[in-house]
Coordinates of all heavy atoms in Angstrom, one line a residue:
M467 N 50.6 32.1 9.7 CA 49.6 31.6 10.7 C 48.2 32.0 10.3 O 47.2 31.3 10.6 CB 50.0 32.1 12.1 CG 49.2 31.6 13.1 SD 50.3 30.8 14.3 CE 49.3 30.6 15.6
T468 N 48.1 33.2 9.7 CA 46.8 33.7 9.3 C 46.1 32.8 8.3 O 44.9 32.5 8.3 CB 46.9 35.1 8.8 OG1 47.6 35.9 9.7 CG2 45.6 35.7 8.5
I469 N 46.9 32.3 7.4 CA 46.4 31.4 6.4 C 45.9 30.1 7.0 O 44.8 29.6 6.6 CB 47.4 31.1 5.3 CG1 47.8 32.4 4.6 CG2 47.0 30.1 4.3 CD1 49.0 32.2 3.6
S470 N 46.6 29.6 8.0 CA 46.2 28.4 8.6 C 44.8 28.6 9.4 O 43.9 27.8 9.3 CB 47.3 28.0 9.6 OG 46.8 26.9 10.4
F471 N 44.7 29.8 10.0 CA 43.4 30.1 10.7 C 42.3 30.2 9.8 O 41.2 29.7 10.0 CB 43.6 31.4 11.5 CG 42.4 31.8 12.3 CD1 42.0 31.1 13.4 CD2 41.6 32.9 11.9 CE1 40.9 31.5 14.1 CE2 40.5 33.2 12.6 CZ 40.1 32.5 13.7
V472 N 42.5 30.8 8.6 CA 41.5 31.0 7.6 C 41.0 29.6 7.1 O 39.9 29.3 6.9 CB 41.9 31.9 6.5 CG1 41.0 31.9 5.3 CG2 42.2 33.3 7.0
K473 N 42.0 28.7 6.9 CA 41.7 27.4 6.4 C 40.9 26.6 7.5 O 39.9 25.9 7.1 CB 43.0 26.6 6.1 CG 43.7 27.0 4.9 CD 44.9 26.2 4.7 CE 45.7 26.6 3.4 NZ 46.9 25.8 3.2
V474 N 41.2 26.8 8.7 CA 40.5 26.1 9.8 C 39.0 26.6 9.8 O 38.1 25.9 10.0 CB 41.2 26.3 11.2 CG1 40.3 25.8 12.3 CG2 42.5 25.6 11.2
V475 N 38.9 27.9 9.8 CA 37.5 28.5 9.8 C 36.7 28.1 8.5 O 35.6 27.7 8.7 CB 37.6 30.1 9.9 CG1 36.3 30.7 9.7 CG2 38.2 30.5 11.2
A476 N 37.3 28.1 7.4 CA 36.7 27.7 6.2 C 36.3 26.2 6.3 O 35.2 25.8 5.9 CB 37.6 27.9 4.9
F477 N 37.2 25.4 6.8 CA 36.9 24.0 7.0 C 35.7 23.8 7.9 O 34.8 23.0 7.7 CB 38.1 23.2 7.5 CG 37.8 21.8 7.8 CD1 37.7 20.8 6.8 CD2 37.7 21.4 9.1 CE1 37.4 19.5 7.1 CE2 37.4 20.0 9.4 CZ 37.2 19.1 8.4
F478 N 35.7 24.5 9.0 CA 34.7 24.5 10.0 C 33.3 24.9 9.4 O 32.3 24.2 9.6 CB 35.0 25.3 11.2 CG 33.9 25.3 12.3 CD1 33.8 24.2 13.1 CD2 33.1 26.4 12.4 CE1 32.8 24.2 14.1 CE2 32.1 26.4 13.4 CZ 32.0 25.2 14.2
V479 N 33.3 25.9 8.6 CA 32.1 26.4 8.0 C 31.5 25.3 7.0 O 30.3 25.0 7.0 CB 32.3 27.7 7.2 CG1 31.1 28.1 6.4 CG2 32.5 28.8 8.3
I480 N 32.4 24.8 6.2 CA 32.0 23.8 5.2 C 31.6 22.5 5.9 O 30.5 21.9 5.6 CB 33.2 23.4 4.2 CG1 33.5 24.6 3.3 CG2 32.9 22.2 3.4 CD1 34.7 24.5 2.5
F481 N 32.3 22.1 7.0 CA 31.9 20.9 7.7 C 30.5 21.1 8.4 O 29.7 20.2 8.4 CB 33.0 20.6 8.8 CG 32.7 19.4 9.6 CD1 32.8 18.1 9.1 CD2 32.3 19.5 10.9 CE1 32.5 17.0 9.8 CE2 32.0 18.4 11.7 CZ 32.1 17.2 11.2
S482 N 30.3 22.3 9.0 CA 29.1 22.6 9.6 C 27.9 22.6 8.7 O 26.8 22.1 9.0 CB 29.1 24.0 10.3 OG 30.1 23.9 11.3
T483 N 28.1 23.1 7.5 CA 27.1 23.1 6.5 C 26.7 21.7 6.0 O 25.6 21.3 5.9 CB 27.5 23.9 5.2 OG1 27.9 25.2 5.7 CG2 26.4 24.0 4.2
G484 N 27.7 20.9 5.8 CA 27.5 19.5 5.5 C 26.8 18.7 6.6 O 25.9 17.9 6.4
L485 N 27.2 19.0 7.8 CA 26.6 18.4 9.0 C 25.1 18.7 9.1 O 24.3 17.9 9.3 CB 27.4 18.7 10.3 CG 27.0 18.0 11.5 CD1 27.2 16.5 11.4 CD2 27.7 18.5 12.7
L486 N 24.8 20.0 8.9 CA 23.4 20.5 9.0 C 22.6 19.9 7.9 O 21.4 19.5 8.1 CB 23.4 22.0 9.0 CG 23.8 22.7 10.2 CD1 23.8 24.2 10.0 CD2 23.0 22.4 11.4
S487 N 23.2 19.8 6.7 CA 22.5 19.2 5.6 C 22.2 17.7 5.8 O 21.1 17.2 5.6 CB 23.3 19.3 4.3 OG 22.7 18.6 3.3
S488 N 23.1 17.0 6.4 CA 22.9 15.6 6.7 C 21.9 15.4 7.8 O 21.1 14.5 7.8 CB 24.2 14.9 6.9 OG 24.8 15.3 8.1
C489 N 21.9 16.3 8.8 CA 21.0 16.3 9.9 C 19.6 16.5 9.4 O 18.6 15.8 9.8 CB 21.3 17.3 10.9 SG 22.7 17.0 11.9
A490 N 19.4 17.3 8.4 CA 18.1 17.6 7.8 C 17.6 16.3 7.1 O 16.4 16.0 7.2 CB 18.1 18.8 6.9
E491 N 18.5 15.6 6.4 CA 18.1 14.4 5.7 C 17.8 13.3 6.7 O 16.8 12.6 6.5 CB 19.3 13.9 4.9 CG 19.6 14.8 3.7 CD 20.8 14.4 2.9 OE1 21.3 13.3 3.1 OE2 21.2 15.2 2.0
F492 N 18.5 13.2 7.8 CA 18.1 12.2 8.9 C 16.8 12.6 9.5 O 16.0 11.7 9.8 CB 19.2 12.1 10.0 CG 20.4 11.3 9.6 CD1 21.7 11.9 9.5 CD2 20.3 10.0 9.2 CE1 22.8 11.1 9.2 CE2 21.3 9.2 8.9 CZ 22.6 9.8 8.9
K493 N 16.6 13.8 9.7 CA 15.3 14.3 10.3 C 14.2 13.9 9.4 O 13.1 13.4 9.9 CB 15.4 15.8 10.6 CG 14.1 16.3 11.3 CD 14.3 17.8 11.6 CE 13.0 18.3 12.3 NZ 13.1 19.7 12.6
E494 N 14.3 14.2 8.1 CA 13.2 13.9 7.2 C 13.0 12.4 7.1 O 11.9 11.9 7.0 CB 13.6 14.4 5.8 CG 12.6 14.2 4.7 CD 11.2 14.9 5.1 OE1 11.2 15.9 5.7 OE2 10.2 14.3 4.7
A495 N 14.1 11.6 7.1 CA 14.0 10.1 7.0 C 13.2 9.6 8.3 O 12.4 8.8 8.2 CB 15.3 9.5 6.9
G496 N 13.6 10.2 9.4 CA 12.9 9.8 10.7 C 11.5 10.2 10.7 O 10.6 9.4 11.1
R497 N 11.1 11.3 10.1 CA 9.7 11.7 10.0 C 9.0 10.8 9.1 O 7.8 10.4 9.5 CB 9.7 13.2 9.5 CG 8.2 13.7 9.4 CD 8.2 15.2 8.9 NE 8.8 16.0 9.9 CZ 9.8 16.9 9.7 NH1 10.3 16.9 8.5 NH2 10.2 17.7 10.6
T498 N 9.5 10.4 8.0 CA 8.9 9.5 7.1 C 8.6 8.2 7.7 O 7.5 7.6 7.6 CB 9.7 9.4 5.8 OG1 9.9 10.6 5.2 CG2 9.1 8.4 4.8
I499 N 9.6 7.7 8.4 CA 9.5 6.4 9.1 C 8.4 6.5 10.2 O 7.6 5.6 10.3 CB 10.8 5.9 9.7 CG1 11.8 5.5 8.5 CG2 10.7 4.7 10.6 CD1 13.2 5.3 9.0
G500 N 8.5 7.5 10.9 CA 7.5 7.7 12.0 C 6.1 7.8 11.5 O 5.1 7.2 12.1
H501 N 5.8 8.6 10.5 CA 4.5 8.8 9.9 C 4.0 7.5 9.3 O 2.8 7.1 9.5 CB 4.5 9.9 8.9 CG 4.6 11.2 9.6 ND1 4.5 12.4 8.8 CD2 4.7 11.6 10.8 CE1 4.6 13.4 9.6 NE2 4.7 13.0 10.9
T502 N 4.9 6.8 8.6 CA 4.5 5.5 8.0 C 4.1 4.5 9.1 O 3.1 3.8 9.0 CB 5.6 4.9 7.2 OG1 6.0 5.9 6.1 CG2 5.2 3.6 6.5
T503 N 4.9 4.4 10.2 CA 4.6 3.5 11.3 C 3.3 3.9 11.9 O 2.5 3.0 12.2 CB 5.7 3.6 12.3 OG1 7.0 3.3 11.7 CG2 5.5 2.6 13.5
R504 N 3.0 5.2 12.1 CA 1.8 5.6 12.7 C 0.6 5.2 11.8 O -0.4 4.7 12.3 CB 1.8 7.1 12.9 CG 0.5 7.7 13.4 CD 0.4 9.2 13.2 NE 0.4 9.5 11.8 CZ 0.6 10.7 11.3 NH1 0.9 11.7 12.0 NH2 0.5 10.9 10.0
N505 N 0.7 5.4 10.5 CA -0.4 5.1 9.6 C -0.7 3.6 9.6 O -1.8 3.2 9.6 CB -0.1 5.6 8.2 CG -0.1 7.2 8.2 OD1 -0.6 7.8 9.1 ND2 0.6 7.7 7.2
V506 N 0.4 2.8 9.5 CA 0.2 1.3 9.5 C -0.4 0.8 10.8 O -1.3 0.0 10.8 CB 1.6 0.6 9.2 CG1 1.5 -0.9 9.4 CG2 2.0 0.9 7.8
T507 N 0.1 1.3 11.9 CA -0.5 0.9 13.2 C -1.9 1.3 13.3 O -2.7 0.5 13.8 CB 0.4 1.6 14.3 OG1 1.7 1.3 14.1 CG2 -0.1 1.1 15.7
R508 N -2.3 2.5 12.8 CA -3.7 2.9 12.9 C -4.6 2.0 12.0 O -5.6 1.6 12.5 CB -3.8 4.3 12.3 CG -5.3 4.9 12.4 CD -5.4 6.2 11.8 NE -4.6 7.2 12.5 CZ -3.9 8.2 11.9 NH1 -4.0 8.3 10.6 NH2 -3.1 9.0 12.6
E509 N -4.1 1.6 10.8 CA -4.9 0.7 10.0 C -5.0 -0.7 10.6 O -6.1 -1.3 10.5 CB -4.3 0.6 8.6 CG -4.4 1.9 7.8 CD -5.8 2.4 7.6 OE1 -6.7 1.5 7.3 OE2 -6.0 3.6 7.8
I510 N -4.0 -1.2 11.2 CA -4.1 -2.5 11.9 C -5.1 -2.4 13.1 O -5.9 -3.3 13.2 CB -2.7 -2.9 12.4 CG1 -1.8 -3.3 11.2 CG2 -2.8 -4.1 13.4 CD1 -0.3 -3.5 11.6
G511 N -5.0 -1.3 13.8 CA -5.9 -1.1 14.9 C -7.4 -1.0 14.5 O -8.3 -1.6 15.1
H512 N -7.6 -0.3 13.4 CA -9.0 -0.2 12.9 C -9.5 -1.5 12.4 O -10.6 -1.9 12.6 CB -9.1 0.9 11.8 CG -8.9 2.3 12.3 ND1 -9.0 3.4 11.5 CD2 -8.8 2.8 13.6 CE1 -8.9 4.5 12.2 NE2 -8.7 4.1 13.5
G513 N -8.6 -2.2 11.7 CA -9.0 -3.6 11.2 C -9.3 -4.5 12.3 O -10.3 -5.3 12.2
T514 N -8.5 -4.5 13.3 CA -8.8 -5.3 14.5 C -10.1 -5.0 15.2 O -10.9 -5.9 15.6 CB -7.6 -5.2 15.5 OG1 -6.4 -5.6 14.8 CG2 -7.8 -6.1 16.7
R515 N -10.3 -3.7 15.3 CA -11.5 -3.2 16.0 C -12.7 -3.7 15.2 O -13.7 -4.2 15.7 CB -11.5 -1.7 16.1 CG -12.8 -1.1 16.7 CD -12.9 0.4 16.4 NE -13.0 0.6 14.9 CZ -12.8 1.7 14.3 NH1 -12.4 2.7 15.0 NH2 -12.9 1.8 13.0
D516 N -12.7 -3.5 13.9 CA -13.8 -3.9 13.0 C -14.1 -5.4 13.0 O -15.2 -5.9 13.1 CB -13.6 -3.4 11.6 CG -13.5 -1.9 11.4 OD1 -14.0 -1.2 12.4 OD2 -13.0 -1.4 10.4
A517 N -13.0 -6.2 13.0 CA -13.1 -7.6 13.1 C -13.7 -8.1 14.4 O -14.6 -8.9 14.5 CB -11.8 -8.3 12.9
A518 N -13.3 -7.5 15.5 CA -13.8 -7.8 16.8 C -15.3 -7.4 16.9 O -16.1 -8.1 17.5 CB -13.0 -7.1 17.9
K519 N -15.6 -6.3 16.3 CA -17.0 -5.8 16.4 C -17.9 -6.8 15.6 O -19.0 -7.2 16.0 CB -17.1 -4.4 15.7 CG -18.5 -3.8 15.9 CD -18.6 -2.5 15.1 CE -17.7 -1.4 15.8 NZ -17.9 -0.1 15.2
E520 N -17.4 -7.3 14.4 CA -18.2 -8.2 13.6 C -18.4 -9.6 14.4 O -19.4 -10.2 14.3 CB -17.6 -8.4 12.3 CG -17.8 -7.2 11.3 CD -19.2 -6.9 11.1 OE1 -20.1 -7.8 10.9 OE2 -19.6 -5.7 11.2
I521 N -17.3 -10.0 15.0 CA -17.4 -11.2 15.8 C -18.4 -11.1 16.9 O -19.2 -12.0 17.2 CB -16.0 -11.6 16.3 CG1 -15.1 -12.1 15.2 CG2 -16.1 -12.7 17.4 CD1 -13.6 -12.3 15.6
G522 N -18.4 -9.9 17.6 CA -19.3 -9.7 18.6 C -20.8 -9.7 18.1 O -21.7 -10.2 18.8
H523 N -21.0 -9.0 17.0 CA -22.4 -9.0 16.4 C -22.8 -10.4 16.0 O -23.9 -10.8 16.3 CB -22.4 -8.1 15.2 CG -22.3 -6.6 15.5 ND1 -23.0 -6.0 16.6 CD2 -21.6 -5.7 15.0 CE1 -22.7 -4.8 16.6 NE2 -21.8 -4.5 15.7
G524 N -21.9 -11.2 15.4 CA -22.2 -12.6 15.0 C -22.5 -13.4 16.3 O -23.5 -14.2 16.3
T525 N -21.7 -13.3 17.3 CA -22.0 -14.0 18.5 C -23.3 -13.7 19.1 O -24.1 -14.5 19.6 CB -20.9 -13.8 19.5 OG1 -19.6 -14.1 18.9 CG2 -21.0 -14.5 20.8
R526 N -23.6 -12.4 19.1 CA -24.9 -11.9 19.7 C -26.1 -12.5 18.9 O -27.1 -13.0 19.5 CB -25.0 -10.4 19.7 CG -26.3 -9.9 20.3 CD -26.3 -8.4 20.4 NE -26.1 -7.8 19.0 CZ -25.6 -6.6 18.8 NH1 -25.2 -5.9 19.8 NH2 -25.5 -6.2 17.6
R527 N -26.0 -12.6 17.6 CA -27.0 -13.1 16.7 C -27.2 -14.6 17.1 O -28.3 -15.1 17.2 CB -26.7 -12.9 15.3 CG -27.0 -11.5 14.8 CD -26.9 -11.4 13.3 NE -25.6 -11.7 12.7 CZ -24.7 -10.8 12.5 NH1 -25.0 -9.5 12.8 NH2 -23.5 -11.1 12.0
V528 N -26.1 -15.4 17.2 CA -26.2 -16.8 17.5 C -26.8 -17.0 18.9 O -27.7 -17.8 19.1 CB -24.8 -17.4 17.5 CG1 -24.8 -18.8 18.0 CG2 -24.3 -17.5 16.0
V529 N -26.4 -16.2 19.9 CA -26.9 -16.4 21.2 C -28.4 -16.0 21.2 O -29.2 -16.7 21.9 CB -26.2 -15.5 22.2 CG1 -26.9 -15.4 23.6 CG2 -24.7 -16.0 22.4
N530 N -28.8 -15.0 20.5 CA -30.2 -14.6 20.5 C -31.0 -15.7 19.8 O -32.2 -16.0 20.2 CB -30.4 -13.3 19.8 CG -29.9 -12.1 20.6 OD1 -29.8 -12.2 21.8 ND2 -29.7 -11.0 20.0
S531 N -30.5 -16.3 18.7 CA -31.3 -17.3 18.0 C -31.4 -18.6 18.9 O -32.4 -19.2 18.9 CB -30.7 -17.6 16.7 OG -29.4 -18.3 16.9
I532 N -30.4 -18.9 19.6 CA -30.4 -20.0 20.6 C -31.4 -19.7 21.7 O -32.2 -20.6 22.1 CB -29.1 -20.4 21.2 CG1 -28.1 -20.9 20.1 CG2 -29.2 -21.3 22.3 CD1 -26.7 -21.1 20.5
G533 N -31.4 -18.5 22.2 CA -32.4 -18.1 23.2 C -33.8 -18.2 22.7 O -34.7 -18.6 23.4
Q534 N -34.1 -17.8 21.5 CA -35.4 -17.9 20.9 C -35.8 -19.3 20.8 O -37.0 -19.7 21.1 CB -35.5 -17.1 19.6 CG -35.4 -15.6 19.8 CD -35.3 -14.9 18.4 OE1 -35.2 -15.6 17.4 NE2 -35.4 -13.6 18.5
E535 N -34.9 -20.2 20.3 CA -35.3 -21.6 20.2 C -35.5 -22.2 21.5 O -36.5 -23.0 21.7 CB -34.1 -22.3 19.5 CG -33.9 -21.9 18.0 CD -32.7 -22.5 17.4 OE1 -32.0 -23.4 18.1 OE2 -32.4 -22.2 16.3
T536 N -34.8 -21.8 22.6 CA -35.0 -22.3 23.9 C -36.4 -21.9 24.4 O -37.1 -22.6 25.0 CB -33.9 -21.9 24.8 OG1 -32.6 -22.2 24.3 CG2 -34.0 -22.4 26.2
N537 N -36.7 -20.6 24.2 CA -38.0 -20.1 24.6 C -39.1 -20.8 23.9 O -40.2 -21.1 24.5 CB -38.1 -18.6 24.4 CG -37.3 -17.8 25.3 OD1 -36.9 -18.2 26.4 ND2 -37.0 -16.5 25.0
D538 N -38.9 -21.1 22.6 CA -40.0 -21.8 21.9 C -40.1 -23.2 22.4 O -41.2 -23.8 22.5 CB -39.6 -21.8 20.4 CG -39.7 -20.4 19.7 OD1 -40.3 -19.5 20.3 OD2 -39.1 -20.3 18.6
A539 N -39.0 -23.8 22.8 CA -39.1 -25.2 23.3 C -39.7 -25.2 24.7 O -40.3 -26.2 25.1 CB -37.7 -25.8 23.3
A540 N -39.5 -24.2 25.4 CA -40.0 -24.2 26.8 C -41.5 -23.9 26.9 O -42.1 -24.1 27.9 CB -39.2 -23.1 27.6
K541 N -42.0 -23.3 25.8 CA -43.5 -23.0 25.8 C -44.3 -24.3 25.8 O -43.9 -25.2 25.1 CB -43.9 -22.2 24.6 CG -43.3 -20.8 24.7 CD -43.7 -20.0 23.5 CE -43.1 -18.6 23.4 NZ -43.4 -17.9 22.2
P542 N -45.4 -24.4 26.5 CA -46.2 -25.6 26.5 C -46.8 -25.7 25.1 O -47.2 -24.7 24.5 CB -47.2 -25.4 27.6 CG -47.2 -23.9 27.9 CD -45.9 -23.4 27.5
S543 N -46.9 -26.9 24.7 CA -47.6 -27.2 23.4 C -49.1 -27.1 23.6 O -49.6 -27.2 24.7 CB -47.2 -28.5 22.9 OG -47.8 -29.5 23.7
P544 N -49.8 -26.8 22.5 CA -51.3 -26.7 22.7 C -51.9 -27.9 23.2 O -53.0 -27.9 23.9 CB -51.8 -26.4 21.3 CG -50.6 -25.9 20.5 CD -49.4 -26.5 21.2
D545 N -51.4 -29.1 23.0 CA -51.9 -30.4 23.5 C -51.8 -30.4 25.1 O -52.7 -31.0 25.7 CB -51.2 -31.6 22.9 CG -51.4 -31.6 21.4 OD1 -52.4 -31.1 20.9 OD2 -50.5 -32.2 20.7
D546 N -50.8 -29.8 25.6 CA -50.6 -29.8 27.1 C -51.5 -29.0 27.8 O -51.8 -29.2 29.0 CB -49.1 -29.4 27.4 CG -48.1 -30.4 27.0 OD1 -48.5 -31.6 26.7 OD2 -46.9 -30.1 26.9
E547 N -52.1 -28.0 27.2 CA -53.0 -27.0 27.9 C -54.4 -27.6 28.1 O -55.1 -27.1 28.9 CB -53.1 -25.7 27.0 CG -51.8 -24.9 27.0 CD -51.9 -23.7 26.2 OE1 -53.1 -23.4 25.7 OE2 -50.9 -23.0 26.0
Q548 N -54.8 -28.7 27.5 CA -56.1 -29.2 27.6 C -56.3 -30.0 28.8 O -55.8 -30.6 29.6 CB -56.5 -30.1 26.4 CG -56.5 -29.3 25.1 CD -56.8 -30.2 24.0 OE1 -56.9 -31.4 24.1 NE2 -56.9 -29.6 22.8

């Protein structure tokens, strides 16, 4: 019976070591996936922010140029002042 108990304990130790080793591998894989996802998401967010900012600046330039043209058109011509 003692030999059987020793075998069970040895099996448990070997199994636990293998389990801990595989847990570390899963943990590392999860960390790699998580960090990669975080980095990709950050880059997508920054790209979207930059694109929206450029669209906003372009829109502002167009609106300002239309506003200046409207102001120029609304001014009386020198012939009207006489």
Side-chain angles (χ1 to χ4, degrees):
M467 187 126 167
T468 308
I469 296 174
S470 174
F471 180 72
V472 171
K473 287 181 181 181
V474 169
V475 171
F477 175 75
F478 180 73
V479 169
I480 292 171
F481 180 74
S482 297
T483 304
L485 187 62
L486 289 175
S487 174
S488 66
C489 286
E491 291 174 13
F492 280 121
K493 184 177 179 180
E494 181 62 31
R497 181 179 293 122
T498 301
I499 291 169
H501 287 182
T502 302
T503 303
R504 178 196 63 197
N505 294 341
V506 168
T507 304
R508 182 184 302 140
E509 291 303 317
I510 290 171
H512 288 181
T514 303
R515 178 198 62 201
D516 295 343
K519 188 185 293 186
E520 287 303 315
I521 290 170
H523 290 314
T525 303
R526 183 176 56 207
R527 284 191 293 268
V528 169
V529 168
N530 287 340
S531 69
I532 291 172
Q534 288 173 353
E535 291 173 6
T536 305
N537 286 340
D538 292 342
K541 291 181 184 175
S543 66
D545 297 334
D546 292 340
E547 291 180 5
Q548 296 176 357

